[in-house]
């Protein structure tokens, strides 16, 4: 009977988790909260509305993992993977960074050129 209750709890917890997908790499992001102030980590205020999950590797509610956000230019959902987005005062998908390259500082432009030459 205890196993059945535990199974129901796990199923209920899975149903409560939210999902979205990075439009560039198609990774499915399973998150616990989207916003700037995760309710399970009251001491944290993020600089962007982000898709956040509780850190499964920390005890209690000690940590969070930022999984992604929306591009501040096009509004598409992007993960934080280095091939999908970058954070420079706000989150940007790499296609928007490339399209607006002239608006970014030299360091960001150089980083984008390095990424392009390594692929």
């Amino acid at each position: 009977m205890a196993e059945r209750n535990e199974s129901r709890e796990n199923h209920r917890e899975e149903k409560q988790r939210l999902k979205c997908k990075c439009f560039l790499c198609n990774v499915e992001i399973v998150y616990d909260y989207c916003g700037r102030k995760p309710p399970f980590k009251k001491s944290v205020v993020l600089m962007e509305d982000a898709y956040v999950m509780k850190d499964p590797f920390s005890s209690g509610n000690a940590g969070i993992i930022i999984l992604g956000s929306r591009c501040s230019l096009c509004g598409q959902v992007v993960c934080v993977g280095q091939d999908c987005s970058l954070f420079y005062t706000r989150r940007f998908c790499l296609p928007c960074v490339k399209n607006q390259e002239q608006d970014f500082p030299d360091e960001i432009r150089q980083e984008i050129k390095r990424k392009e030459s390594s692929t």
Side-chain angles (χ1 to χ4, degrees):
M1 185 72 157
E3 280 182 37
R4 207 180 272 172
N5 285 338
E6 188 176 310
S7 176
R8 284 186 194 150
E9 279 299 312
N10 289 341
H11 182 68
R12 190 176 304 130
E13 204 170 287
E14 284 177 22
K15 283 180 102 177
Q16 291 174 350
R17 309 244 8 228
L18 305 166
K19 296 178 184 179
C20 62
K21 187 182 279 192
C22 175
F23 89 102
L24 291 170
C25 70
N26 291 319
V27 70
E28 190 171 89
I29 300 169
V30 178
Y31 63 97
D32 297 309
Y33 172 78
C34 182
R36 292 178 186 242
K37 296 180 180 181
F40 42 84
K41 189 68 174 167
K42 301 222 185 270
S43 62
V44 172
V45 178
L46 302 171
M47 294 178 68
E48 64 180 334
D49 288 333
Y51 297 101
V52 178
M53 72 180 290
K54 297 174 188 172
D55 184 350
F57 303 106
S58 65
S59 58
N61 288 333
I64 63 169
I65 299 174
I66 297 171
L67 303 165
S69 186
R70 289 191 174 273
C71 172
S72 60
L73 290 175
C74 70
Q76 295 277 8
V77 174
V78 287
C79 71
V80 296
Q82 68 179 10
D83 294 332
C84 296
S85 72
L86 66 82
F87 185 87
Y88 175 72
T89 68
R90 298 179 292 169
R91 175 80 42 204
F92 298 95
C93 69
L94 291 189
C96 284
V97 172
K98 290 174 187 171
N99 288 337
Q100 303 292 323
E101 191 175 334
Q102 71 282 357
D103 296 332
F104 288 91
D106 288 337
E107 298 84 25
I108 300 296
R109 285 186 278 206
Q110 289 170 1
E111 183 179 333
I112 295 302
K113 284 181 181 152
R114 269 182 288 199
K115 286 181 183 185
E116 287 175 342
S117 67
S118 69
T119 56

